[in-house]
Amino acid sequence: MNEPGPSAAKMPPHVSDDWMQRRIVIAAVAFALALLAVEAFQAWQGYRTARTEAERRAANLVYILSAHMQEAVAALDASLVQIAAASQRLGGPSGDADDWNAVLMGAIAGLPNTGSLSVTDSEGVIRHATVANILGQSRQDLYLFQALRRQANAGMVADRPYKGVSGEMLIPLGRRLEGPADTFQGVAVATLRLRQLREFYHSIDVGPGGLIRILHPDGQVLFREPSSRDPTGEPALQDPVYLAYRAGKVDDLLDEESGPDGRPLITAFHALPSPGILLAVSLDRRAAFAEWRNNLAVNGGLLAVEILVLAIATATILQLLRARHAATLRLASRERQLLLAESIAHMGAITFDVVTGTVRPSPQIADIFGWPEPIEEFPLQAFLAAVHDADRQPLSQTIACCAEGGGPYRQEFRITRPDGGGRIIWSEGFQDGGTPTAAAGVVAICQDVTDRRMAERQLAQSLKMEGVGQLTGGVAHDFNNLLTVIIGNLDMLAEWPGADARARETAEIALRAADRGADLVRSLLAFSRKQPLQPRVVNLNEIVLETDHLLRRTLGEQVELETSPERKIWLTMVDPAQLQAALINLAVNARDSMTQGGKLTIETGNVVLDEHYARQNTDAKPGAYVLLAVSDTGTGMPAAILDRVFEPFFTTKETGKGTGLGLSMVYGFIKQSNGHINIYSEIGHGTTVKLYLPRSETTARVEPPATAIEPDSPGNETVLVVEDDAMVRDFVVQQLRQRGYRTRLAKNGREALAALDGGAEIDLLLTDVILSGGLTGKQVADTAQRQRPGLKVLFMSGYTENAIVHHGRLDPGVLLLSKPFHATELARMVRRAIAGNQPSEA
């Protein structure tokens, strides 16, 4: 393209000087902006360093406190363990009082930091104690009594603090007393004095504005320093540390916007499961960043000085330029050429002498055009010969027009390098007025913009594919719910006792069509990267070998199949079933392109993609990969079709001969496996599809877990069904009840948690992953299992998103029933979940 503009070479001398001055000013401003950018980057880095250091210090301090707390209660816990052992020897809390008093007095003699020891029976009544006035009192309402009665092997549990007779604050700590067959017989309770703990915590330096907190899991303060008064026993239900713990976190860093005196804090906390307390250390954020702010002020002053010096230097340079304005136009032309070549990275300068038909390039032009060495001067026609046929005449006309005073030009053209490679060149030039002894010419710059244009094209293609993926994946959830109901009812209709043969046949035909619809949705999920993968470390050659016999039957006799495996192939982490399906898809596409027969070649190898390849292919990352290449000798495809081959439902086959989902499924699977896919094709020369799978960092093979065959037997357990789609919920409940299960229903997560809070007997939680009402199925399951450890969970979903699938893989220990499903699959997976078998693909 040509853009008209003023001719710099024919300008009066003072106008040309002004033009150069403007460029210097622009360069100075750009340099000043660069200084500002560097300073901003350094400030940002300094901020991150200061914050990281503060977070590290807070985390170290909280672990020091945790270690001290564990050490402080270790001797007490050991005594409680001995008391628990003595309980079994003495026949439980109902044993002889003298024997019990001897045990308790002997235990407390070695615990100087302990206020008292006591033992309750299974009803919470104190039977034995080192303090006589508490005998016969009930401790049934204590937090630790309730917690230890519910859970065996709970370890040591802390309770709310209270003030003793002497006025000193004490923390009750208890352990469960068990009889034969782990029966609950009571608890042993010791009270811990806070005096020694306070002395140690006062020695911890948290800096000005810092804070140390110890909280009970029920939200009461055990210790807080600094504090104007003793806050022990106060509620702290709105404390950020307590709220984070209630949200399921046991070890984290928090930002608190307002501490005790209104200062922002950086807080690290750690939950100790034994004795069950929360420790938190907070540092004043302003104090942590004080040095960074001082450095920022100093560097800002230095930056101001640098910019002032730059301004003075720029003014001086402008004055020197005015003094050099008397130089000859020829020398000025050479200086402009040098300025263009040296000031702009990856560019070269060229002077076109149109009258003599010669070209004088700068040394950088040799690198851009692929010449073995720089050339000082050569014919203009030799230069134009390297230009693409379609661009040669327009470029020649543009140069001639500029030389005749037509104004500066800006034009993009293609060249062919001596090695056969093609490049895209951006050129910008203006007229050089010449001298009394030399005719006017054109001075131009040339820049290789090939990588930029390819990146722009690939980015646009990637954005389009991402948008299509989001659209297709979003349909899957509701569509799979509909298919679940359709398939389920067709199953019942096909097995209906009163149905005749024709009705059964009709139902089976409709059922096959519904199954094809389910396959279609699974293909869409594969393209949109929403399918749950179960990868393991595999040898790619073994996958190809296992598929070989199946491919030979599928391809037929007209297609010759040849495999060329790498002998020492690297291992890769991939879902073998999905990879085998992808290989079959590619082979079938290749067969269909070879209508008259041909040759299909499957190759494996080890490759390393470098930074240059990654720049040319924006969706690829540099690194080591295992390559699977499938090549055919078919008809090939033009470039316009290659840009769309991975789009779902796009196909070049006749109507009814293909769904257009084969390559899109392969594309989605490879992307979800953190790999890269590339396709190359030429009309009449066939097509090659290359799949790049990341090399596995481990050298050990991972075998799939063996799963026992489970009978499709009825049950009588109680299943809580959580499903927001009424039709799917009704179908699942009907099927479960037909097989003898008792069911409870919930249409969202809040109703499910309410049912669990009600204390009803639940053997299995069967929940959809995506639920309405604000809670996902995963959140419901996590909360339920915290309330009821050991509760069995079975997820069902047709669109998992990131609730139970991360990085394209099912979370460990997750059992998933994929929608749509048949009634027999539902029964089998429910039986497997209740039996506690290892997860396997539904």
Side-chain angles (χ1 to χ4, degrees):
M1 61 182 174
N2 298 319
E3 296 183 8
S7 173
K10 287 195 173 182
M11 294 178 183
H14 68 279
V15 176
S16 178
D17 184 53
D18 291 341
W19 175 81
M20 184 61 70
Q21 290 182 50
R22 284 196 298 271
R23 293 181 69 92
I24 295 297
V25 170
I26 292 173
V29 171
F31 186 71
L33 293 176
L35 287 176
L36 288 171
V38 170
E39 179 61 27
F41 177 75
Q42 290 177 342
W44 176 72
Q45 286 286 84
Y47 172 83
R48 289 193 61 185
T49 301
R51 182 177 184 86
T52 301
E53 178 61 25
E55 291 177 346
R56 182 192 62 79
R57 183 164 175 258
N60 289 342
L61 289 177
V62 82
Y63 277 104
I64 290 174
L65 296 183
S66 300
H68 182 267
M69 172 60 76
Q70 289 175 328
E71 180 180 353
V73 301
L76 192 149
D77 189 30
S79 295
L80 291 178
V81 171
Q82 292 177 356
I83 292 173
S87 174
Q88 295 182 352
R89 186 177 69 251
L90 298 178
S94 61
D96 184 76
D98 292 336
D99 293 341
W100 267 110
N101 288 335
V103 170
L104 295 181
M105 297 305 295
I108 200 170
L111 301 172
N113 200 32
T114 301
S116 65
L117 291 173
S118 61
V119 174
T120 76
D121 59 18
S122 61
E123 299 301 323
V125 178
I126 298 178
R127 296 296 186 184
H128 313 283
T130 58
V131 179
N133 60 1
I134 65 173
L135 290 173
Q137 295 181 9
S138 174
R139 293 294 184 261
Q140 187 173 13
D141 295 334
L142 283 182
Y143 168 84
L144 66 82
F145 181 84
Q146 296 294 335
L148 292 171
R149 181 168 64 178
R150 286 194 306 267
Q151 184 176 356
N153 301 321
M156 184 168 56
V157 176
D159 208 329
R160 305 175 183 88
Y162 71 95
K163 186 174 292 186
V165 177
S166 63
E168 182 180 12
M169 295 304 298
L170 303 173
I171 301 177
L173 302 169
R175 264 191 175 272
R176 177 185 171 107
L177 301 181
E178 295 182 343
D182 296 335
T183 57
F184 176 70
Q185 291 190 335
V187 296
V189 182
T191 56
L192 174 67
R193 294 190 177 102
L194 288 178
R195 182 177 62 254
Q196 292 184 356
L197 296 179
R198 290 179 184 274
E199 293 174 358
F200 177 77
Y201 294 157
H202 289 165
S203 68
I204 299 296
D205 181 17
V206 294
L211 181 67
I212 295 177
R213 282 167 286 180
I214 304 178
L215 304 178
H216 192 269
D218 71 346
Q220 290 201 23
V221 177
L222 301 182
F223 177 82
R224 184 163 64 213
E225 178 67 26
S227 179
S228 59
R229 55 186 177 79
D230 187 358
T232 303
E234 289 184 356
L237 300 181
Q238 299 304 316
D239 190 292
V241 172
Y242 175 72
L243 295 176
Y245 174 76
R246 292 293 297 172
K249 297 179 180 179
V250 297
D251 195 345
D252 203 0
L253 289 167
L254 304 174
D255 271 335
E256 298 188 58
E257 294 304 323
S258 179
D261 57 354
R263 291 172 174 263
L265 302 175
I266 295 175
T267 300
F269 82 90
H270 181 63
L272 291 178
S274 178
I277 59 175
L278 309 177
L279 299 171
V281 173
S282 302
L283 303 181
D284 187 282
R285 196 189 306 169
R286 297 175 185 172
F289 294 155
E291 182 179 356
W292 170 76
R293 287 194 296 270
N294 293 336
N295 292 337
L296 187 63
V298 172
N299 293 338
L302 293 176
L303 177 63
V305 173
E306 291 172 350
I307 292 178
L308 178 60
V309 171
L310 176 63
I312 295 173
T314 302
T316 303
I317 292 174
L318 294 176
Q319 291 177 356
L320 291 175
L321 283 176
R322 295 189 185 98
R324 290 169 57 91
H325 185 58
T328 63
L329 293 177
R330 181 72 177 176
L331 179 60
S333 175
R334 300 294 294 179
E335 289 175 346
R336 287 195 296 272
Q337 177 182 340
L338 179 62
L339 177 64
L340 289 170
E342 294 179 349
S343 65
I344 305 176
H346 305 297
M347 288 186 178
I350 292 181
T351 299
F352 297 104
D353 191 333
V354 180
V355 175
T356 62
T358 57
V359 175
R360 294 186 296 275
S362 68
Q364 290 82 359
I365 292 295
D367 293 333
I368 296 174
F369 280 70
W371 301 334
E373 58 184 17
I375 303 174
E376 292 186 0
E377 185 175 288
F378 64 98
L380 175 60
Q381 291 303 319
F383 172 84
L384 294 174
V387 179
H388 191 276
D389 294 344
D391 300 336
R392 186 177 302 135
Q393 184 175 359
L395 179 62
S396 176
Q397 293 174 349
T398 297
I399 295 173
C401 180
C402 182
E404 294 174 359
Y409 77 87
R410 296 178 180 88
Q411 185 161 328
E412 189 171 286
F413 58 90
R414 293 162 292 175
I415 65 169
T416 302
R417 293 167 49 144
D419 60 2
R423 309 299 291 175
I424 302 174
I425 308 298
W426 168 258
S427 179
E428 182 175 353
F430 56 88
Q431 184 190 44
D432 182 4
T435 67
T437 59
V442 174
V443 175
I445 58 171
C446 293
Q447 181 183 18
D448 187 343
V449 295
T450 308
D451 293 345
R452 184 191 309 170
R453 296 294 181 262
M454 292 182 64
E456 291 171 353
R457 177 182 175 186
Q458 291 187 357
L459 177 60
Q461 179 71 5
S462 177
L463 291 175
K464 182 178 71 172
M465 297 294 285
E466 192 69 26
V468 174
Q470 292 178 358
L471 175 64
T472 55
V475 177
H477 178 256
D478 292 338
F479 198 59
N480 272 329
N481 278 342
L482 294 174
L483 283 174
T484 299
V485 177
I486 293 172
I487 290 175
N489 284 278
L490 287 173
D491 272 336
M492 291 189 294
L493 183 60
E495 298 175 0
W496 195 265
D500 57 18
R502 182 172 180 80
R504 293 176 187 274
E505 182 181 358
T506 302
E508 290 174 355
I509 293 173
L511 190 59
R512 287 196 296 271
D515 286 337
R516 289 184 61 185
D519 291 338
L520 180 65
V521 176
R522 277 191 286 269
S523 297
L524 290 175
L525 286 176
F527 168 74
S528 56
R529 289 169 260 177
K530 306 300 182 185
Q531 61 176 344
L533 299 181
Q534 297 192 24
R536 59 186 176 92
V537 178
V538 299
N539 184 309
L540 193 58
N541 288 344
E542 294 180 1
I543 302 295
V544 174
L545 182 61
E546 292 173 2
T547 316
D548 182 87
H549 68 283
L550 177 61
L551 289 179
R552 294 187 185 276
R553 293 198 307 268
T554 303
L555 298 177
E557 297 180 354
Q558 286 188 317
V559 176
E560 176 188 355
L561 176 61
E562 178 181 332
T563 57
S564 178
E566 174 78 24
R567 190 162 57 92
K568 296 183 178 180
I569 195 74
W570 293 332
L571 298 178
T572 182
M573 176 73 77
V574 70
D575 188 321
Q578 294 293 336
L579 178 59
Q580 191 174 50
L583 178 57
I584 293 173
N585 260 317
L586 295 178
V588 170
N589 279 345
R591 179 202 64 187
D592 293 343
S593 70
M594 296 182 288
T595 55
Q596 304 300 322
K599 183 177 181 180
L600 177 66
T601 304
I602 301 176
E603 302 173 84
T604 64
N606 303 324
V607 297
V608 176
L609 303 182
D610 56 17
E611 294 283 353
H612 177 71
Y613 183 89
R615 285 195 300 270
Q616 292 183 328
N617 299 269
T618 54
D619 60 338
K621 295 180 180 179
Y625 290 84
V626 182
L627 170 66
L628 174 62
V630 179
S631 304
D632 63 62
T633 58
T635 56
M637 293 178 284
I641 291 181
L642 280 178
D643 290 339
R644 301 188 60 193
V645 290
F646 295 130
E647 296 179 12
F649 302 113
F650 177 79
T651 179
T652 58
K653 300 177 183 178
E654 299 177 6
T655 303
K657 294 297 183 65
T659 63
L661 289 173
L663 283 177
S664 63
M665 184 184 71
V666 175
Y667 173 87
F669 160 65
I670 293 299
K671 292 299 181 184
Q672 193 174 353
S673 302
N674 299 320
H676 169 61
I677 184 170
N678 192 11
I679 183 169
Y680 176 79
S681 183
E682 287 187 17
I683 296 294
H685 294 280
T687 301
T688 297
V689 181
K690 294 184 177 181
L691 310 182
Y692 298 87
L693 295 166
R695 179 184 182 181
S696 174
E697 296 180 358
T698 179
T699 58
R701 299 289 298 281
V702 178
E703 297 299 330
T707 56
I709 298 175
E710 303 169 2
D712 185 12
S713 58
N716 58 359
E717 292 83 0
T718 300
V719 181
L720 174 57
V721 180
V722 188
E723 170 61 63
D724 55 359
D725 189 293
M727 292 188 296
V728 176
R729 187 170 62 246
D730 293 342
F731 162 68
V732 171
V733 168
Q734 181 183 19
Q735 290 300 314
L736 292 177
R737 289 176 177 173
Q738 285 182 0
R739 284 168 171 77
Y741 295 100
R742 297 185 297 274
T743 60
R744 294 179 64 88
L745 311 181
K747 64 183 179 182
N748 54 47
R750 301 192 184 281
E751 289 188 5
L753 295 180
L756 292 167
D757 290 339
E761 179 183 355
I762 303 294
D763 298 295
L764 173 67
L765 173 64
L766 174 58
T767 177
D768 194 9
V769 176
I770 307 299
L771 295 172
S772 59
L775 292 176
T776 67
K778 182 63 166 60
Q779 292 171 326
V780 173
D782 290 344
T783 304
Q785 289 184 322
R786 283 197 299 270
Q787 295 177 355
R788 299 188 178 192
L791 176 65
K792 305 298 176 57
V793 176
L794 172 60
F795 292 101
M796 56 181 175
S797 182
Y799 183 70
T800 54
E801 269 295 340
N802 293 324
I804 59 174
V805 174
H806 291 85
H807 307 293
R809 305 173 185 179
L810 276 175
D811 292 343
V814 169
L815 193 61
L816 174 65
L817 175 60
S818 297
K819 294 180 181 177
F821 49 78
H822 291 267
T824 54
E825 293 175 299
L826 171 64
R828 185 170 60 255
M829 292 300 291
V830 167
R831 197 71 250 154
R832 177 177 297 160
I834 293 176
N837 282 21
Q838 291 293 325
S840 61
E841 186 179 357

